[in-house]
Amino acid sequence: MNSPTALPARAGLGLKPAHYSDILGDKPDVGFFEVHAENYMGAGGPPHRYLQSIAEHYPISLHGVGLSIGAEGPLDKAHLSRLKALVDRYRPASFSEHLAWSTHETGFLNDLLPLPYTQSALDRIMRHVDEVQQVLGRQMLLENPSTYVLFAESTIDEIDFLERIAGGTGCGLLLDVNNVMVSCVNHRMDPVAYIDRFPVELVGEIHLAGYDEALDGVGDRLLIDAHASAVLEDVFALYHHALSRSGPVATLIEWDNNVPDFPTLFAEAIRVDEALSQCARLPETLSRVA
């Protein structure tokens, strides 16, 4: 199994059709672009024409949203075959998926749903990750989820669960810092403590995004992983803390809803690149991980 070419330790942006002309016309200084794999599983047409042109100038990361790694049933062989064709076509620098499920029998749910952290779930997900990596012939990254409920059936801590999957399959991890903030606030946990325990040596990519905020039924804060705004200051502070442990890591800005114009999105990339440059200048950063 081949490991992917590492993404540059730069800011990356989600590739949006509204920005194709800005990117191809101006060639902005962006570290990489990330696409949702399922949006490019058709055989051809304008999406592939634009992606091919952009891939000639920038590293590409594929981010899956439809494999349903955590589902009880087997992986969808047809979906996995389409994913392999896409990977073979573009040879992306990275492929990642979510620790979640979205299928049941023949039904597909347009959401990334949580699962209980049990030994049976661990065994099943490890089989699924093994299958994906064998079919693709490369390492994948698995992303920590944003959650709104906890399961009484869970017997394994989330970080331990992710670490065991990585240890048993050789996959890497994608650390979504916004997901950490959302889950920890929703479950009254300390996000800094979560980052302090996370196995940063396994992280191949970081995600940042904006969240929405509401109140739950008893008036407590409820954060929603909305991807509809700029990265909020508390998430960015948590990101700085993560970098202090990991050192510079390729970092994606996820802004999938209420997508702004390209200059607004590019300003977020500049902000991230500045944080990565600052991190790289700190000589003690790597010693903290050792």
Side-chain angles (χ1 to χ4, degrees):
M1 179 172 60
N2 296 324
S3 295
T5 303
L7 289 167
R10 292 280 314 279
L13 296 174
L15 181 60
K16 304 302 177 191
H19 300 151
Y20 286 156
S21 59
D22 293 283
I23 296 164
L24 290 172
D26 299 335
K27 305 296 191 306
D29 184 19
V30 175
F32 64 97
F33 284 98
E34 185 160 288
V35 300
H36 287 170
E38 287 73 12
N39 290 339
Y40 292 86
M41 286 186 173
H48 281 291
R49 185 170 70 250
Y50 283 111
L51 180 57
Q52 184 64 55
S53 296
I54 290 167
E56 292 172 1
H57 300 282
Y58 299 93
I60 297 297
S61 175
L62 287 183
H63 189 51
V65 296
L67 269 179
S68 196
I69 288 285
E72 292 249 351
L75 295 178
D76 184 328
K77 307 296 189 202
H79 187 97
L80 191 51
S81 177
R82 289 190 293 270
L83 177 61
K84 177 173 171 52
L86 192 61
V87 167
D88 290 347
R89 180 171 184 171
Y90 289 102
R91 307 308 304 170
S94 179
F95 169 70
S96 55
E97 247 290 358
H98 299 81
L99 178 61
W101 63 277
S102 55
T103 57
H104 179 65
E105 296 179 348
T106 60
F108 179 81
L109 303 169
N110 190 27
D111 207 343
L112 297 167
L113 299 170
L115 61 147
Y117 299 139
T118 63
Q119 186 61 48
S120 62
L122 178 65
D123 294 341
R124 181 176 71 250
I125 291 167
M126 288 174 63
R127 290 194 302 271
H128 288 170
V129 170
D130 275 336
E131 182 179 356
V132 172
Q133 294 186 139
Q134 287 299 319
V135 169
L136 299 185
R138 60 159 58 208
Q139 184 192 50
M140 66 174 288
L141 306 178
L142 192 63
E143 178 181 340
N144 60 292
S146 59
T147 59
Y148 309 90
V149 296
L150 297 175
F151 291 88
E153 296 89 344
S154 291
T155 57
I156 305 171
D157 170 83
E158 179 174 284
I159 295 175
D160 291 340
F161 196 82
L162 285 161
E163 195 165 16
R164 290 190 200 181
I165 294 170
T169 66
C171 78
L173 299 179
L174 190 161
L175 174 58
D176 190 313
V177 176
N178 187 64
N179 286 359
V180 173
M181 183 64 71
V182 167
S183 296
C184 286
V185 169
N186 290 345
H187 305 315
R188 316 300 177 244
M189 299 186 297
D190 182 355
V192 173
Y194 185 104
I195 294 293
D196 284 344
R197 289 188 52 231
F198 204 86
V200 293
E201 69 279 3
L202 301 176
V203 173
E205 185 179 343
I206 291 174
H207 278 186
L208 297 174
Y211 61 74
D212 285 349
E213 184 168 349
L215 297 177
D216 65 16
V218 296
D220 290 329
R221 294 179 75 200
L222 175 68
L223 303 191
I224 301 164
D225 185 27
H227 296 191
S229 62
V231 180
L232 296 174
E233 290 303 324
D234 56 352
V235 173
F236 212 79
L238 190 62
Y239 172 58
H240 274 285
H241 183 66
L243 291 182
S244 75
R245 293 199 60 232
S246 66
V249 177
T251 301
L252 178 78
I253 300 294
E254 292 188 292
W255 198 328
D256 299 318
N257 301 301
N258 298 330
V259 176
D261 60 19
F262 189 79
T264 301
L265 189 60
F266 186 50
E268 288 289 278
I270 293 172
R271 186 182 179 201
V272 167
D273 271 338
E274 289 172 349
L276 290 167
S277 295
Q278 179 183 354
C279 173
R281 290 193 297 268
L282 295 176
E284 70 273 18
T285 297
L286 294 181
S287 66
R288 292 176 185 171
V289 181

